[in-house]
């Protein structure tokens, strides 16, 4: 059983790394695309840049939440560790929801206005 805990911990760390890289590389790609398109006929607008960076952050946050949940599987469950996980997930979920509302102009559960 101890061996599986070590592997789960490695998977959680790898997932955290993927989450951070998602945010970093997605933002870098978005900014690069914006910079290279400034002098073209169809430049990327600031709003498109902002939405693209926001989507990278959203995806990275979702991956980081998954990594946090995986990391708690290998720890001994105490009231403190469960409280900390809940707080982290709550904060990251709030950030994700705020970003989504900022990017789309509506809450995820609202229907599209046609």
């Amino acid at each position: 059983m101890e061996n599986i805990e070590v592997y789960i911990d490695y998977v959680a760390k790898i997932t955290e790394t993927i989450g951070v890289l998602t945010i970093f590389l997605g933002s870098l790609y978005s900014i690069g695309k914006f910079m290279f398109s400034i002098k073209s006929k169809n430049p990327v607008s600031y709003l498109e840049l902002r939405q693209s960076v926001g989507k990278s952050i959203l995806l990275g946050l979702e991956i980081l939440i998954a990594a946090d949940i995986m990391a708690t599987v290998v720890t001994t469950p105490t009231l403190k560790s469960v409280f900390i996980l809940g707080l982290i997930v709550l904060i990251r979920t709030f950030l994700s929801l705020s970003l989504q509302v900022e990017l789309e102009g509506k809450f995820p559960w609202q229907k599209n206005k046609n």
Side-chain angles (χ1 to χ4, degrees), residues 72-111:
T72 57
V73 170
V74 297
T75 61
T76 341
T78 63
L79 191 55
K80 183 179 178 181
S81 68
V82 171
F83 177 73
I84 290 171
L85 172 67
L87 191 60
I88 289 170
V89 169
L90 186 66
I91 290 169
R92 287 188 178 164
T93 303
F94 176 75
L95 287 172
S96 295
L97 183 62
S98 299
L99 279 169
Q100 188 164 4
V101 169
E102 180 75 22
L103 292 173
E104 296 179 8
K106 64 181 180 63
F107 289 102
W109 54 84
Q110 289 178 321
K111 293 183 180 179

mmCIF file of all heavy atoms in Angstrom, residues 72-111:
data_model
loop_
_atom_site.group_PDB
_atom_site.id
_atom_site.type_symbol
_atom_site.label_atom_id
_atom_site.label_comp_id
_atom_site.label_asym_id
_atom_site.label_seq_id
_atom_site.Cartn_x
_atom_site.Cartn_y
_atom_site.Cartn_z
ATOM 1 N N THR A 72 -4.364 14.771 -1.737
ATOM 2 C CA THR A 72 -4.955 14.478 -0.430
ATOM 3 C C THR A 72 -5.263 13.004 -0.258
ATOM 4 O O THR A 72 -5.442 12.542 0.858
ATOM 5 C CB THR A 72 -6.247 15.283 -0.197
ATOM 6 O OG1 THR A 72 -7.157 15.000 -1.229
ATOM 7 C CG2 THR A 72 -5.961 16.751 -0.112
ATOM 8 N N VAL A 73 -5.310 12.263 -1.354
ATOM 9 C CA VAL A 73 -5.571 10.830 -1.264
ATOM 10 C C VAL A 73 -4.435 10.135 -0.522
ATOM 11 O O VAL A 73 -4.664 9.187 0.234
ATOM 12 C CB VAL A 73 -5.756 10.228 -2.676
ATOM 13 C CG1 VAL A 73 -5.784 8.723 -2.644
ATOM 14 C CG2 VAL A 73 -7.022 10.767 -3.307
ATOM 15 N N VAL A 74 -3.217 10.601 -0.706
ATOM 16 C CA VAL A 74 -2.066 9.928 -0.110
ATOM 17 C C VAL A 74 -1.756 10.393 1.310
ATOM 18 O O VAL A 74 -0.971 9.758 1.997
ATOM 19 C CB VAL A 74 -0.798 10.094 -0.986
ATOM 20 C CG1 VAL A 74 -0.998 9.435 -2.320
ATOM 21 C CG2 VAL A 74 -0.405 11.532 -1.137
ATOM 22 N N THR A 75 -2.365 11.485 1.744
ATOM 23 C CA THR A 75 -2.105 11.941 3.104
ATOM 24 C C THR A 75 -3.088 11.294 4.064
ATOM 25 O O THR A 75 -4.163 10.846 3.672
ATOM 26 C CB THR A 75 -2.247 13.481 3.215
ATOM 27 O OG1 THR A 75 -3.580 13.841 2.868
ATOM 28 C CG2 THR A 75 -1.270 14.192 2.321
ATOM 29 N N THR A 76 -2.702 11.244 5.308
ATOM 30 C CA THR A 76 -3.614 10.738 6.325
ATOM 31 C C THR A 76 -4.699 11.786 6.541
ATOM 32 O O THR A 76 -4.396 12.939 6.812
ATOM 33 C CB THR A 76 -2.883 10.525 7.665
ATOM 34 O OG1 THR A 76 -1.490 10.455 7.452
ATOM 35 C CG2 THR A 76 -3.341 9.283 8.332
ATOM 36 N N PRO A 77 -5.954 11.376 6.381
ATOM 37 C CA PRO A 77 -7.014 12.371 6.486
ATOM 38 C C PRO A 77 -7.183 12.897 7.918
ATOM 39 O O PRO A 77 -7.509 12.147 8.818
ATOM 40 C CB PRO A 77 -8.264 11.620 6.016
ATOM 41 C CG PRO A 77 -7.953 10.182 6.180
ATOM 42 C CD PRO A 77 -6.468 10.055 6.098
ATOM 43 N N THR A 78 -6.907 14.154 8.081
ATOM 44 C CA THR A 78 -7.170 14.818 9.351
ATOM 45 C C THR A 78 -8.151 15.945 9.071
ATOM 46 O O THR A 78 -8.346 16.338 7.924
ATOM 47 C CB THR A 78 -5.877 15.407 9.954
ATOM 48 O OG1 THR A 78 -5.378 16.419 9.066
ATOM 49 C CG2 THR A 78 -4.822 14.346 10.169
ATOM 50 N N LEU A 79 -8.754 16.438 10.101
ATOM 51 C CA LEU A 79 -9.701 17.528 9.932
ATOM 52 C C LEU A 79 -9.010 18.748 9.319
ATOM 53 O O LEU A 79 -9.563 19.436 8.466
ATOM 54 C CB LEU A 79 -10.335 17.888 11.276
ATOM 55 C CG LEU A 79 -11.522 18.833 11.235
ATOM 56 C CD1 LEU A 79 -12.610 18.290 10.321
ATOM 57 C CD2 LEU A 79 -12.073 19.052 12.623
ATOM 58 N N LYS A 80 -7.763 18.983 9.722
ATOM 59 C CA LYS A 80 -7.011 20.124 9.201
ATOM 60 C C LYS A 80 -6.737 19.971 7.706
ATOM 61 O O LYS A 80 -6.918 20.913 6.936
ATOM 62 C CB LYS A 80 -5.698 20.273 9.972
ATOM 63 C CG LYS A 80 -4.881 21.466 9.552
ATOM 64 C CD LYS A 80 -3.600 21.579 10.350
ATOM 65 C CE LYS A 80 -2.783 22.767 9.869
ATOM 66 N NZ LYS A 80 -1.534 22.899 10.600
ATOM 67 N N SER A 81 -6.301 18.784 7.258
ATOM 68 C CA SER A 81 -5.988 18.583 5.839
ATOM 69 C C SER A 81 -7.239 18.662 4.973
ATOM 70 O O SER A 81 -7.211 19.207 3.869
ATOM 71 C CB SER A 81 -5.269 17.253 5.620
ATOM 72 O OG SER A 81 -6.124 16.164 5.877
ATOM 73 N N VAL A 82 -8.362 18.147 5.481
ATOM 74 C CA VAL A 82 -9.616 18.234 4.738
ATOM 75 C C VAL A 82 -10.074 19.685 4.647
ATOM 76 O O VAL A 82 -10.537 20.142 3.597
ATOM 77 C CB VAL A 82 -10.701 17.345 5.389
ATOM 78 C CG1 VAL A 82 -12.059 17.600 4.768
ATOM 79 C CG2 VAL A 82 -10.331 15.878 5.265
ATOM 80 N N PHE A 83 -9.922 20.441 5.726
ATOM 81 C CA PHE A 83 -10.291 21.848 5.735
ATOM 82 C C PHE A 83 -9.433 22.638 4.752
ATOM 83 O O PHE A 83 -9.942 23.460 3.992
ATOM 84 C CB PHE A 83 -10.149 22.421 7.145
ATOM 85 C CG PHE A 83 -10.451 23.887 7.229
ATOM 86 C CD1 PHE A 83 -11.748 24.349 7.134
ATOM 87 C CD2 PHE A 83 -9.421 24.808 7.389
ATOM 88 C CE1 PHE A 83 -12.029 25.712 7.197
ATOM 89 C CE2 PHE A 83 -9.687 26.161 7.462
ATOM 90 C CZ PHE A 83 -10.992 26.613 7.358
ATOM 91 N N ILE A 84 -8.142 22.371 4.737
ATOM 92 C CA ILE A 84 -7.235 23.071 3.823
ATOM 93 C C ILE A 84 -7.577 22.743 2.373
ATOM 94 O O ILE A 84 -7.636 23.634 1.523
ATOM 95 C CB ILE A 84 -5.759 22.732 4.145
ATOM 96 C CG1 ILE A 84 -5.374 23.373 5.477
ATOM 97 C CG2 ILE A 84 -4.828 23.194 3.035
ATOM 98 C CD1 ILE A 84 -4.027 22.937 6.005
ATOM 99 N N LEU A 85 -7.833 21.457 2.071
ATOM 100 C CA LEU A 85 -8.221 21.074 0.715
ATOM 101 C C LEU A 85 -9.513 21.781 0.318
ATOM 102 O O LEU A 85 -9.619 22.328 -0.784
ATOM 103 C CB LEU A 85 -8.406 19.565 0.598
ATOM 104 C CG LEU A 85 -9.004 19.101 -0.739
ATOM 105 C CD1 LEU A 85 -8.041 19.367 -1.879
ATOM 106 C CD2 LEU A 85 -9.403 17.652 -0.678
ATOM 107 N N GLY A 86 -10.485 21.777 1.211
ATOM 108 C CA GLY A 86 -11.756 22.441 0.916
ATOM 109 C C GLY A 86 -11.571 23.914 0.639
ATOM 110 O O GLY A 86 -12.177 24.467 -0.283
ATOM 111 N N LEU A 87 -10.718 24.560 1.412
ATOM 112 C CA LEU A 87 -10.454 25.985 1.225
ATOM 113 C C LEU A 87 -9.760 26.251 -0.109
ATOM 114 O O LEU A 87 -10.135 27.173 -0.847
ATOM 115 C CB LEU A 87 -9.612 26.505 2.384
ATOM 116 C CG LEU A 87 -9.450 28.007 2.509
ATOM 117 C CD1 LEU A 87 -10.816 28.669 2.681
ATOM 118 C CD2 LEU A 87 -8.570 28.340 3.709
ATOM 119 N N ILE A 88 -8.788 25.419 -0.440
ATOM 120 C CA ILE A 88 -8.071 25.575 -1.716
ATOM 121 C C ILE A 88 -9.023 25.373 -2.886
ATOM 122 O O ILE A 88 -9.045 26.163 -3.837
ATOM 123 C CB ILE A 88 -6.876 24.595 -1.800
ATOM 124 C CG1 ILE A 88 -5.779 25.025 -0.836
ATOM 125 C CG2 ILE A 88 -6.329 24.518 -3.225
ATOM 126 C CD1 ILE A 88 -4.671 24.006 -0.677
ATOM 127 N N VAL A 89 -9.824 24.315 -2.823
ATOM 128 C CA VAL A 89 -10.777 24.040 -3.907
ATOM 129 C C VAL A 89 -11.799 25.164 -4.002
ATOM 130 O O VAL A 89 -12.155 25.609 -5.100
ATOM 131 C CB VAL A 89 -11.454 22.668 -3.706
ATOM 132 C CG1 VAL A 89 -12.623 22.487 -4.664
ATOM 133 C CG2 VAL A 89 -10.441 21.551 -3.896
ATOM 134 N N LEU A 90 -12.268 25.676 -2.869
ATOM 135 C CA LEU A 90 -13.233 26.768 -2.853
ATOM 136 C C LEU A 90 -12.656 28.027 -3.509
ATOM 137 O O LEU A 90 -13.304 28.655 -4.347
ATOM 138 C CB LEU A 90 -13.673 27.065 -1.420
ATOM 139 C CG LEU A 90 -14.780 28.079 -1.240
ATOM 140 C CD1 LEU A 90 -16.074 27.539 -1.819
ATOM 141 C CD2 LEU A 90 -14.960 28.389 0.231
ATOM 142 N N ILE A 91 -11.431 28.372 -3.146
ATOM 143 C CA ILE A 91 -10.786 29.560 -3.714
ATOM 144 C C ILE A 91 -10.570 29.388 -5.216
ATOM 145 O O ILE A 91 -10.878 30.280 -6.006
ATOM 146 C CB ILE A 91 -9.450 29.856 -2.996
ATOM 147 C CG1 ILE A 91 -9.716 30.336 -1.566
ATOM 148 C CG2 ILE A 91 -8.623 30.883 -3.769
ATOM 149 C CD1 ILE A 91 -8.485 30.397 -0.691
ATOM 150 N N ARG A 92 -10.078 28.236 -5.626
ATOM 151 C CA ARG A 92 -9.807 28.024 -7.053
ATOM 152 C C ARG A 92 -11.105 27.947 -7.853
ATOM 153 O O ARG A 92 -11.159 28.421 -8.988
ATOM 154 C CB ARG A 92 -8.956 26.773 -7.248
ATOM 155 C CG ARG A 92 -7.529 27.014 -6.794
ATOM 156 C CD ARG A 92 -6.619 25.881 -7.133
ATOM 157 N NE ARG A 92 -5.266 26.213 -6.699
ATOM 158 C CZ ARG A 92 -4.308 25.333 -6.575
ATOM 159 N NH1 ARG A 92 -4.523 24.064 -6.842
ATOM 160 N NH2 ARG A 92 -3.105 25.702 -6.175
ATOM 161 N N THR A 93 -12.142 27.368 -7.257
ATOM 162 C CA THR A 93 -13.437 27.324 -7.938
ATOM 163 C C THR A 93 -14.009 28.732 -8.088
ATOM 164 O O THR A 93 -14.552 29.088 -9.142
ATOM 165 C CB THR A 93 -14.418 26.419 -7.173
ATOM 166 O OG1 THR A 93 -13.848 25.113 -7.055
ATOM 167 C CG2 THR A 93 -15.758 26.326 -7.884
ATOM 168 N N PHE A 94 -13.885 29.546 -7.049
ATOM 169 C CA PHE A 94 -14.341 30.935 -7.124
ATOM 170 C C PHE A 94 -13.576 31.696 -8.209
ATOM 171 O O PHE A 94 -14.167 32.444 -8.984
ATOM 172 C CB PHE A 94 -14.185 31.632 -5.766
ATOM 173 C CG PHE A 94 -14.534 33.083 -5.801
ATOM 174 C CD1 PHE A 94 -15.855 33.496 -5.856
ATOM 175 C CD2 PHE A 94 -13.531 34.048 -5.805
ATOM 176 C CE1 PHE A 94 -16.182 34.852 -5.919
ATOM 177 C CE2 PHE A 94 -13.844 35.400 -5.858
ATOM 178 C CZ PHE A 94 -15.173 35.799 -5.913
ATOM 179 N N LEU A 95 -12.269 31.487 -8.267
ATOM 180 C CA LEU A 95 -11.474 32.138 -9.319
ATOM 181 C C LEU A 95 -11.911 31.682 -10.708
ATOM 182 O O LEU A 95 -12.036 32.488 -11.624
ATOM 183 C CB LEU A 95 -9.981 31.844 -9.117
ATOM 184 C CG LEU A 95 -9.295 32.564 -7.969
ATOM 185 C CD1 LEU A 95 -7.878 32.019 -7.785
ATOM 186 C CD2 LEU A 95 -9.260 34.052 -8.213
ATOM 187 N N SER A 96 -12.145 30.379 -10.862
ATOM 188 C CA SER A 96 -12.590 29.852 -12.150
ATOM 189 C C SER A 96 -13.932 30.444 -12.548
ATOM 190 O O SER A 96 -14.130 30.853 -13.695
ATOM 191 C CB SER A 96 -12.715 28.321 -12.090
ATOM 192 O OG SER A 96 -11.477 27.724 -11.891
ATOM 193 N N LEU A 97 -14.861 30.497 -11.601
ATOM 194 C CA LEU A 97 -16.182 31.055 -11.881
ATOM 195 C C LEU A 97 -16.084 32.532 -12.234
ATOM 196 O O LEU A 97 -16.712 32.998 -13.192
ATOM 197 C CB LEU A 97 -17.092 30.850 -10.667
ATOM 198 C CG LEU A 97 -18.537 31.305 -10.805
ATOM 199 C CD1 LEU A 97 -19.241 30.523 -11.900
ATOM 200 C CD2 LEU A 97 -19.271 31.127 -9.493
ATOM 201 N N SER A 98 -15.282 33.266 -11.491
ATOM 202 C CA SER A 98 -15.103 34.695 -11.773
ATOM 203 C C SER A 98 -14.510 34.919 -13.154
ATOM 204 O O SER A 98 -14.954 35.801 -13.898
ATOM 205 C CB SER A 98 -14.184 35.328 -10.726
ATOM 206 O OG SER A 98 -14.734 35.224 -9.457
ATOM 207 N N LEU A 99 -13.506 34.126 -13.505
ATOM 208 C CA LEU A 99 -12.892 34.255 -14.830
ATOM 209 C C LEU A 99 -13.884 33.913 -15.936
ATOM 210 O O LEU A 99 -13.937 34.595 -16.962
ATOM 211 C CB LEU A 99 -11.665 33.350 -14.939
ATOM 212 C CG LEU A 99 -10.381 33.895 -14.334
ATOM 213 C CD1 LEU A 99 -9.331 32.809 -14.263
ATOM 214 C CD2 LEU A 99 -9.869 35.058 -15.155
ATOM 215 N N GLN A 100 -14.675 32.871 -15.721
ATOM 216 C CA GLN A 100 -15.632 32.479 -16.742
ATOM 217 C C GLN A 100 -16.686 33.558 -16.951
ATOM 218 O O GLN A 100 -17.051 33.871 -18.075
ATOM 219 C CB GLN A 100 -16.289 31.157 -16.385
ATOM 220 C CG GLN A 100 -17.147 30.619 -17.501
ATOM 221 C CD GLN A 100 -17.480 29.167 -17.314
ATOM 222 O OE1 GLN A 100 -17.139 28.556 -16.325
ATOM 223 N NE2 GLN A 100 -18.178 28.604 -18.279
ATOM 224 N N VAL A 101 -17.169 34.151 -15.869
ATOM 225 C CA VAL A 101 -18.137 35.245 -15.990
ATOM 226 C C VAL A 101 -17.494 36.434 -16.691
ATOM 227 O O VAL A 101 -18.107 37.073 -17.548
ATOM 228 C CB VAL A 101 -18.688 35.648 -14.598
ATOM 229 C CG1 VAL A 101 -19.474 36.941 -14.674
ATOM 230 C CG2 VAL A 101 -19.552 34.540 -14.030
ATOM 231 N N GLU A 102 -16.258 36.718 -16.369
ATOM 232 C CA GLU A 102 -15.542 37.833 -16.999
ATOM 233 C C GLU A 102 -15.356 37.597 -18.499
ATOM 234 O O GLU A 102 -15.500 38.508 -19.311
ATOM 235 C CB GLU A 102 -14.176 38.007 -16.327
ATOM 236 C CG GLU A 102 -13.336 39.117 -16.872
ATOM 237 C CD GLU A 102 -13.804 40.490 -16.440
ATOM 238 O OE1 GLU A 102 -14.502 40.607 -15.426
ATOM 239 O OE2 GLU A 102 -13.470 41.449 -17.157
ATOM 240 N N LEU A 103 -15.059 36.360 -18.883
ATOM 241 C CA LEU A 103 -14.792 36.061 -20.285
ATOM 242 C C LEU A 103 -16.065 35.955 -21.120
ATOM 243 O O LEU A 103 -16.112 36.432 -22.248
ATOM 244 C CB LEU A 103 -14.012 34.746 -20.406
ATOM 245 C CG LEU A 103 -12.580 34.763 -19.876
ATOM 246 C CD1 LEU A 103 -11.998 33.367 -19.914
ATOM 247 C CD2 LEU A 103 -11.729 35.724 -20.667
ATOM 248 N N GLU A 104 -17.097 35.318 -20.558
ATOM 249 C CA GLU A 104 -18.300 35.051 -21.337
ATOM 250 C C GLU A 104 -19.437 36.025 -21.057
ATOM 251 O O GLU A 104 -20.412 36.058 -21.790
ATOM 252 C CB GLU A 104 -18.772 33.621 -21.086
ATOM 253 C CG GLU A 104 -17.765 32.586 -21.561
ATOM 254 C CD GLU A 104 -18.214 31.166 -21.302
ATOM 255 O OE1 GLU A 104 -19.376 30.957 -20.887
ATOM 256 O OE2 GLU A 104 -17.412 30.250 -21.516
ATOM 257 N N GLY A 105 -19.348 36.772 -19.965
ATOM 258 C CA GLY A 105 -20.383 37.733 -19.650
ATOM 259 C C GLY A 105 -21.637 37.130 -19.054
ATOM 260 O O GLY A 105 -22.667 37.781 -18.958
ATOM 261 N N LYS A 106 -21.570 35.855 -18.670
ATOM 262 C CA LYS A 106 -22.716 35.187 -18.053
ATOM 263 C C LYS A 106 -22.216 34.039 -17.189
ATOM 264 O O LYS A 106 -21.093 33.570 -17.336
ATOM 265 C CB LYS A 106 -23.682 34.662 -19.116
ATOM 266 C CG LYS A 106 -23.095 33.585 -20.008
ATOM 267 C CD LYS A 106 -24.088 33.112 -21.050
ATOM 268 C CE LYS A 106 -23.516 32.044 -21.940
ATOM 269 N NZ LYS A 106 -23.157 30.822 -21.299
ATOM 270 N N PHE A 107 -23.072 33.605 -16.268
ATOM 271 C CA PHE A 107 -22.731 32.460 -15.438
ATOM 272 C C PHE A 107 -22.852 31.178 -16.260
ATOM 273 O O PHE A 107 -23.622 31.127 -17.231
ATOM 274 C CB PHE A 107 -23.657 32.391 -14.224
ATOM 275 C CG PHE A 107 -23.388 33.476 -13.220
ATOM 276 C CD1 PHE A 107 -24.209 34.596 -13.144
ATOM 277 C CD2 PHE A 107 -22.321 33.381 -12.351
ATOM 278 C CE1 PHE A 107 -23.959 35.601 -12.229
ATOM 279 C CE2 PHE A 107 -22.058 34.374 -11.434
ATOM 280 C CZ PHE A 107 -22.874 35.485 -11.367
ATOM 281 N N PRO A 108 -22.121 30.123 -15.895
ATOM 282 C CA PRO A 108 -22.157 28.880 -16.702
ATOM 283 C C PRO A 108 -23.547 28.258 -16.792
ATOM 284 O O PRO A 108 -23.858 27.591 -17.769
ATOM 285 C CB PRO A 108 -21.198 27.951 -15.945
ATOM 286 C CG PRO A 108 -20.379 28.809 -15.082
ATOM 287 C CD PRO A 108 -21.176 30.048 -14.808
ATOM 288 N N TRP A 109 -24.379 28.469 -15.819
ATOM 289 C CA TRP A 109 -25.700 27.843 -15.816
ATOM 290 C C TRP A 109 -26.752 28.684 -16.557
ATOM 291 O O TRP A 109 -27.875 28.242 -16.723
ATOM 292 C CB TRP A 109 -26.171 27.570 -14.399
ATOM 293 C CG TRP A 109 -26.144 28.778 -13.517
ATOM 294 C CD1 TRP A 109 -27.103 29.735 -13.406
ATOM 295 C CD2 TRP A 109 -25.091 29.160 -12.629
ATOM 296 N NE1 TRP A 109 -26.715 30.681 -12.516
ATOM 297 C CE2 TRP A 109 -25.479 30.362 -12.010
ATOM 298 C CE3 TRP A 109 -23.857 28.604 -12.299
ATOM 299 C CZ2 TRP A 109 -24.686 31.022 -11.088
ATOM 300 C CZ3 TRP A 109 -23.076 29.276 -11.366
ATOM 301 C CH2 TRP A 109 -23.494 30.468 -10.781
ATOM 302 N N GLN A 110 -26.393 29.862 -17.006
ATOM 303 C CA GLN A 110 -27.331 30.690 -17.761
ATOM 304 C C GLN A 110 -27.359 30.253 -19.217
ATOM 305 O O GLN A 110 -26.333 29.911 -19.785
ATOM 306 C CB GLN A 110 -26.938 32.170 -17.694
ATOM 307 C CG GLN A 110 -27.154 32.798 -16.341
ATOM 308 C CD GLN A 110 -26.699 34.239 -16.299
ATOM 309 O OE1 GLN A 110 -25.674 34.577 -16.876
ATOM 310 N NE2 GLN A 110 -27.464 35.067 -15.613
ATOM 311 N N LYS A 111 -28.548 30.292 -19.789
ATOM 312 C CA LYS A 111 -28.716 29.899 -21.195
ATOM 313 C C LYS A 111 -28.185 31.004 -22.102
ATOM 314 O O LYS A 111 -28.137 32.165 -21.725
ATOM 315 C CB LYS A 111 -30.181 29.644 -21.510
ATOM 316 C CG LYS A 111 -30.738 28.448 -20.801
ATOM 317 C CD LYS A 111 -32.166 28.201 -21.207
ATOM 318 C CE LYS A 111 -32.689 26.981 -20.478
ATOM 319 N NZ LYS A 111 -34.085 26.708 -20.808
#
